[in-house]
Amino acid sequence: MFTRNVVDRRARDRQVYEYALLRAVPRVERGECVNAGVLLYCRGERFVAARTHLDEARLLALDPRADVAAVRAALRAVEAVCAGGDAAGQAAGDDAGKRFRWLVAPRSTVLQPGPVHTGLTADPAAEADRLLDLLVR
């Protein structure tokens, strides 16, 4: 009985989240990419965040002329939209869900979102860090 109550409480404490990888695509016409970050949205916690890490050597292996500064700037812009506030520009007044949906919309640029996946977590910020370590670094 005790074990079942502990398991039930843990299940109730966890929230559904959605995430997508951010992919750096230095030459869109080739379709080659390097995972450069993760976006995570948890509706129950009103949480949206981006965790980023650009492996410059891997990016340059795909395209020695890749504009590393532009990719880094695009990653910073995504982080700013997730954080909200004045740095988010036009998205500043949008809720977390709307900002996430805008960021995961398909686009053909140097920084592209991958498909959206789901999971369960009790700590969305820690889950974003875990996914970054697992899928990007």
Side-chain angles (χ1 to χ4, degrees):
M1 186 73 160
F2 174 74
T3 303
R4 181 175 172 86
N5 287 339
V6 170
V7 171
D8 289 344
R9 187 172 58 245
R10 281 190 208 142
R12 283 192 306 264
D13 291 344
R14 296 188 314 169
Q15 299 282 331
V16 173
Y17 70 89
E18 300 173 68
Y19 75 95
L21 288 172
L22 291 172
R23 299 170 174 164
V25 185
R27 292 180 58 192
V28 175
E29 70 278 7
R30 291 184 58 120
E32 298 169 330
C33 64
V34 173
N35 291 344
V38 64
L39 294 166
L40 189 137
Y41 168 59
C42 181
R43 179 179 173 192
E45 298 291 326
R46 295 185 180 132
F47 176 90
V48 65
R51 301 290 192 267
T52 64
H53 171 80
L54 182 61
D55 186 330
E56 190 174 315
R58 290 182 71 199
L59 181 67
L60 293 172
L62 292 179
D63 181 3
R65 296 176 311 220
D67 188 344
V68 175
V71 174
R72 289 194 188 283
L75 289 168
R76 283 191 305 273
V78 168
E79 292 169 341
V81 169
C82 286
D86 292 339
Q90 288 182 314
D94 293 340
D95 64 33
K98 193 168 183 180
R99 292 193 315 268
F100 178 77
R101 296 282 171 243
W102 182 77
L103 289 168
V104 298
R107 53 184 50 91
S108 182
T109 62
V110 70
L111 191 60
Q112 299 178 9
V116 176
H117 305 281
T118 61
L120 293 171
T121 186
D123 185 346
E127 187 66 14
D129 293 336
R130 186 187 77 80
L131 290 171
L132 180 72
D133 289 339
L134 179 68
L135 302 172
V136 178
R137 291 185 194 223

